[in-house]
Amino acid sequence: MDESQKKDEVMLDASQLSAPNNDLVNFNYEEVPITDIVNNIILDGIKRKASDIHFDPYEKGLRIRMRIDGRNLSCKNFRDSQKNMITRIKIIAGMNITESRIPQDGAIKNKLENVNVDLRVSSLPTNLGEKIVIRILDYSMSSAGIEELDFNKE
C-alpha cells in the first residue's frame, strides 16, 4: 500500500461503529447465512452512497472497505468466512468460482430489497487470497442533472 492509499484510508472508531447508520455491524455474523451478510454489505454500501466496496484478504481473514466521497473507510474485518464470502460474490456476479489464479470480471444487475442495483465486480488474485472490488453504478445521479453534482460555481 503506497502513501496516498494510507492517507485516504480511515478506520472507523467505536462511536461510528455503534451509530445507527452503520448497519454493517448490527447482526450476528456467526449465525446469519453468508447470502444475507453479502446482501446486507452491498445494500449498506448503496445506502451510504459508496462508489465501491473492497473485500481485501489479509493474514487472518478478510477486510471490508467502502469508498465514500473519495475516502476509503474500513468497515469490518472477518476472520473465518473469507472463502465463503468471495464465493458468494462470484456466484451472483456470474464468475467462475473454481478459478482463483487469474483476474475475472462480472456484473450484478438485480433487485435487492426493492432497490435496483447495477454493480461491476472485479476479482484479482493476491498472495493472501482473492481481492474483490464491487463498483456501484448509480445512474440516478446522472439523470438528476449537473446541478446536483455539488460543484462550485467557480
Side-chain angles (χ1 to χ4, degrees):
M1 184 181 300
D2 65 13
E3 287 301 315
S4 65
Q5 287 175 323
K6 286 181 184 176
K7 184 175 64 175
D8 285 346
E9 186 169 330
V10 176
M11 290 294 289
L12 296 176
D13 63 13
S15 65
Q16 290 171 303
L17 290 176
S18 60
N21 65 352
N22 193 339
D23 298 334
L24 196 55
V25 295
N26 290 338
F27 52 91
N28 186 345
Y29 293 97
E30 302 298 323
E31 297 176 8
V32 176
I34 200 74
T35 56
D36 292 342
I37 293 173
V38 171
N39 288 349
N40 281 318
I41 291 169
I42 293 171
L43 283 172
D44 191 46
I46 292 168
K47 288 176 188 173
R48 293 184 196 201
K49 298 190 183 300
S51 60
D52 26 84
I53 304 170
H54 297 258
F55 295 82
D56 299 325
Y58 69 106
E59 296 84 18
K60 298 177 184 170
L62 189 69
R63 176 177 297 122
I64 298 175
R65 299 178 298 135
M66 292 186 190
R67 183 171 296 278
I68 302 171
D69 292 332
R71 298 176 70 197
N72 261 342
L73 302 175
S74 291
C75 296
K76 183 71 179 167
N77 293 337
F78 287 92
R79 295 232 182 250
D80 299 324
S81 56
Q82 174 182 352
K83 288 192 186 285
N84 294 338
M85 204 172 291
I86 298 297
T87 300
R88 175 63 185 160
I89 293 167
K90 288 174 79 171
I91 287 171
I92 60 177
M95 299 162 76
N96 183 354
I97 62 171
T98 61
E99 185 58 70
S100 61
R101 297 170 297 173
I102 60 171
Q104 296 185 62
D105 291 316
I108 302 170
K109 291 183 182 182
N110 209 337
K111 190 176 248 191
L112 292 174
E113 291 185 11
N114 296 325
V115 176
N116 286 324
V117 295
D118 191 2
L119 312 170
R120 298 296 183 258
V121 181
S122 296
S123 166
L124 297 167
T126 68
N127 290 339
L128 301 172
E130 283 184 275
K131 172 185 174 55
I132 297 277
V133 177
I134 299 176
R135 171 60 54 107
I136 300 171
L137 302 175
D138 184 6
Y139 296 119
S140 65
M141 285 302 290
S142 62
S143 65
I146 197 163
E147 299 83 21
E148 298 296 319
L149 295 177
D150 292 333
F151 284 117
N152 292 336
K153 292 185 181 190
E154 300 165 358

